[in-house]
Amino acid sequence: MNSTSLFTNSISWLFGIVVVAIGTINVFWGNDPGFGIFLLLLSWVYAPPLATLFREKTGWPLPGAVKIVLGLFILWAALGVGELFDKIELMRGTF
């Protein structure tokens, strides 16, 4: 495995974990568990083994540009529309 592949896989795993965290917050705190489940499902796009499985089953690779655009959409939706910071404050107040 070359260093570029290791770097991109690490970034992909990291962003996938961040999306799982955002999805979990939306499922359990706030008023939109459907959005949280949607984010949890989208987080699988960023797991390198699942991207490989997708490429093997369909013959279509998932381009990096698609992952970047999808990531920007997820961040925009979670931070702007999903009011992530308000939900984090709500979550911190419950512990």
Side-chain angles (χ1 to χ4, degrees), residues 7 11-12 16 19 21 24 26 28 30 35 39-40 43 49-50 54 57 62 66-67 77 86-87 93-94:
F7 177 74
I11 294 297
S12 189
V19 174
T24 303
N26 277 291
F28 294 108
F35 179 63
L39 289 179
L40 288 172
S43 70
L50 291 175
F54 180 78
K57 296 292 181 185
L62 235 125
V66 170
K67 287 183 179 182
D86 293 336
K87 291 177 183 175
T94 60

Side-chain angles (χ1 to χ4, degrees), residues 3-71:
S3 62
T4 304
S5 178
L6 181 63
F7 177 74
T8 56
N9 281 346
S10 298
I11 294 297
S12 189
W13 275 115
L14 179 67
F15 193 75
I17 291 168
V18 167
V19 174
V20 166
I22 292 171
T24 303
I25 289 170
N26 277 291
V27 167
F28 294 108
W29 290 275
N31 58 354
D32 198 4
F35 179 63
I37 292 170
F38 178 69
L39 289 179
L40 288 172
L41 291 173
L42 283 180
S43 70
W44 289 104
V45 170
Y46 296 99
L50 291 175
T52 303
L53 181 67
F54 180 78
R55 184 177 56 244
E56 289 173 358
K57 296 292 181 185
T58 64
W60 296 352
L62 235 125
V66 170
K67 287 183 179 182
I68 291 171
V69 169
L70 183 61

